[in-house]
Amino acid sequence: MIKFKSVAHPYARAIHEFAIYHNTLDSWQNMLHHMVYISKNINIKKIISSMSFFQQLSGFFIAVCGKKIDKYGKNFIKILVEKRRLILLESIYLEFIFLRNIHENITHVTIISAYTLDANQLNYIQKILEERLSKNIHIKCKINSDLINGFIIKFDDTVINLSVRHQLKNLLHFLQH
């Protein structure tokens, strides 16, 4: 996967810069997402693997994508097929999202809680994180009742564990030593 990422990065960077210049970040994200969705279909994969001519393959893939891609998206597919790198679509999409998040100063945060947090609690956590990190925060919530109470915040390589289970483990460790 690391090899895919390093090969996919220049493509994603080129698309990202092109999209910024033409103010089409949303459009490119939607097109790439659609291309990845199409490329993951098992029936499409079988058909693509049976095709041997580049023009036939790019024409088929463009036709399947339909009106959800513009002329620049079609050119992108032709280049990927010609370079035999259609397999990189998902990696290119993920790199594009990564570059877009950096450009827009967005950090995705996952909050794992023992129960569903209400809107006020989420807004408060979001506000604090935005102030501390100086970034726009997008929150994704998950429920894990094993936490007993409290929550865990994860973003980038950081984990902030504010769960009761974690506090009880620390207390147990403290009492044993």
Side-chain angles (χ1 to χ4, degrees):
M1 190 70 181
I2 291 173
K3 184 178 177 184
F4 281 176
K5 186 176 178 179
S6 64
V7 177
H9 184 77
Y11 290 99
R13 187 172 175 182
I15 292 169
H16 184 257
E17 289 176 6
F18 181 85
I20 288 172
Y21 183 78
H22 292 282
N23 197 21
T24 55
L25 283 167
D26 287 336
S27 172
W28 270 101
Q29 184 170 335
N30 291 336
M31 285 194 296
L32 288 170
H33 182 266
H34 184 66
M35 291 175 200
V36 170
Y37 175 77
I38 296 293
S39 71
K40 286 185 160 188
N41 183 295
I42 292 173
N43 294 327
I44 300 295
K45 282 183 178 180
K46 286 179 186 175
I47 293 171
I48 287 174
S49 65
S50 68
M51 294 182 169
S52 57
F53 297 108
F54 298 133
Q55 290 180 336
Q56 184 184 24
L57 176 57
S58 62
F60 171 76
F61 198 81
I62 289 168
V64 172
C65 286
K67 294 182 178 180
K68 291 194 172 189
I69 58 171
D70 62 15
K71 67 179 181 181
Y72 302 112
K74 291 175 185 175
N75 289 338
F76 174 65
I77 289 172
K78 289 176 185 174
I79 290 169
L80 283 185
V81 169
E82 186 179 311
K83 301 290 182 188
R84 298 177 187 228
R85 293 186 169 164
L86 199 57
I87 193 169
L88 295 175
L89 267 175
E90 186 171 10
S91 296
I92 293 169
Y93 173 69
L94 294 174
E95 279 294 306
F96 177 83
I97 297 295
F98 176 76
L99 292 170
R100 185 173 182 182
N101 287 340
I102 290 171
H103 176 73
E104 295 177 350
N105 199 23
I106 295 172
T107 296
H108 292 271
V109 173
T110 302
I111 298 177
I112 305 166
S113 60
Y115 53 87
T116 303
L117 299 174
D118 65 34
N120 288 336
Q121 293 168 318
L122 291 173
N123 288 337
Y124 183 72
I125 293 169
Q126 183 177 11
K127 183 180 173 187
I128 289 174
L129 289 174
E130 285 177 344
E131 288 174 6
R132 298 273 173 152
L133 301 174
S134 298
K135 292 188 171 201
N136 298 317
I137 301 296
H138 288 195
I139 294 177
K140 177 180 171 186
C141 295
K142 292 182 178 178
I143 304 294
N144 182 352
S145 58
D146 291 341
L147 298 179
I148 302 172
N149 202 350
F151 52 88
I152 300 171
I153 300 172
K154 292 183 176 181
F155 58 94
D156 301 330
D157 295 332
T158 304
V159 176
I160 302 170
N161 195 335
L162 302 171
S163 69
V164 170
R165 176 175 289 284
H166 181 69
Q167 292 172 0
L168 290 174
K169 279 183 183 178
N170 286 343
L171 179 61
L172 179 64
H173 180 75
F174 176 75
L175 293 175
Q176 290 176 342
H177 296 284

